[in-house]
Amino acid sequence: MKKKLKVIVTSLAFVATSAMAGESLIGVEGSFGSMNVDTQDTVTNVTVNNDVGLIGGGVKIGAQGDEYRIFLNANYYYPSETNYDYVTTYGAEIDYLVNVSDVFNIFLGVNGGIANIKLTDAANVSRTSSDNYIGGSGGINLHLGDSVDFELGGRLLLLDINNLKNNVKYTFNTIVTGYASIIYKYQMD
């Protein structure tokens, strides 16, 4: 509970900061990637490493100044393996903008938030896990006009989520995604 409270306080700080920025932002994104998972039988101590494919979508709101931008975001991923019910992330990110030209800029950022995972394992045991993540992002932001940007980027989320039931331990390590976003920019006067 203490970790979730920290995330909520941090998110509120980002929202308060966004009210003071130059432009407000709202965006939608589509993504693809994978989640790295270790499955360990704690009786035999055999560990199997697996990558689960992810296709997802999300929304983000935020603000942008001359050299930075901040977002609150939510993403829902459809795992490629049918025993996974869902993977979701809720968080915040702050990006540093390198203004290359009037046509595009490059961004590098850090992110953090909460990841939620639900699956039913081979023994028909339902598993729900949730914990904080931290990570980084980067990409290119193309200006399609004064109020619309198209963005191509990548995101890395570092997880340390463990779930142990019936002598089987799942460890969720990383989520790596590539994404494309349409971002609408507007002034809040």
Side-chain angles (χ1 to χ4, degrees):
M1 183 66 174
K2 190 175 181 181
K3 289 180 182 180
K4 290 183 181 180
L5 183 59
K6 286 180 183 179
V7 171
I8 291 169
V9 170
T10 303
S11 298
L12 291 174
F14 279 123
V15 171
T17 304
S18 70
M20 297 182 288
E23 290 181 305
S24 295
L25 308 170
I26 187 165
V28 295
E29 72 179 50
S31 61
F32 65 94
S34 67
M35 177 174 60
N36 184 263
V37 182
D38 291 331
T39 307
Q40 178 185 23
D41 182 329
T42 58
V43 176
T44 62
N45 211 23
V46 173
T47 301
V48 175
N49 184 277
N50 187 24
D51 285 324
V52 177
L54 301 172
I55 296 175
V59 296
K60 50 190 176 184
I61 60 169
Q64 178 174 313
D66 291 334
E67 296 179 349
Y68 73 94
R69 66 182 181 176
I70 58 174
F71 284 112
L72 295 177
N73 57 35
N75 289 286
Y76 185 92
Y77 300 101
Y78 301 94
S80 62
E81 295 188 14
T82 58
N83 61 322
Y84 281 80
D85 296 319
Y86 61 78
V87 176
T88 62
T89 59
Y90 307 95
E93 61 186 72
I94 184 165
D95 296 329
Y96 177 72
L97 302 172
V98 179
N99 294 308
V100 178
S101 74
D102 291 339
V103 178
F104 74 97
N105 55 23
I106 298 169
F107 65 92
L108 297 170
V110 295
N111 56 56
I114 298 173
N116 303 294
I117 302 162
K118 183 175 181 190
L119 67 111
T120 304
D121 67 14
N124 207 26
V125 175
S126 180
R127 298 172 180 267
T128 303
S129 302
S130 180
D131 205 352
N132 296 333
Y133 69 83
I134 59 169
S137 59
I140 186 168
N141 192 21
L142 302 168
H143 309 302
L144 301 180
D146 290 338
S147 62
V148 179
D149 286 350
F150 176 72
E151 179 174 291
L152 293 172
R155 196 176 283 129
L156 169 67
L157 309 180
L158 302 173
L159 311 170
D160 188 20
I161 301 174
N162 295 295
N163 185 295
L164 176 63
K165 284 186 182 178
N166 299 345
N167 298 320
V168 177
K169 179 180 178 183
Y170 280 75
T171 303
F172 304 95
N173 301 306
T174 58
I175 295 176
V176 178
T177 59
Y179 67 90
S181 295
I182 297 291
I183 300 170
Y184 174 68
K185 304 181 290 189
Y186 59 96
Q187 294 288 333
M188 293 207 37
D189 295 327

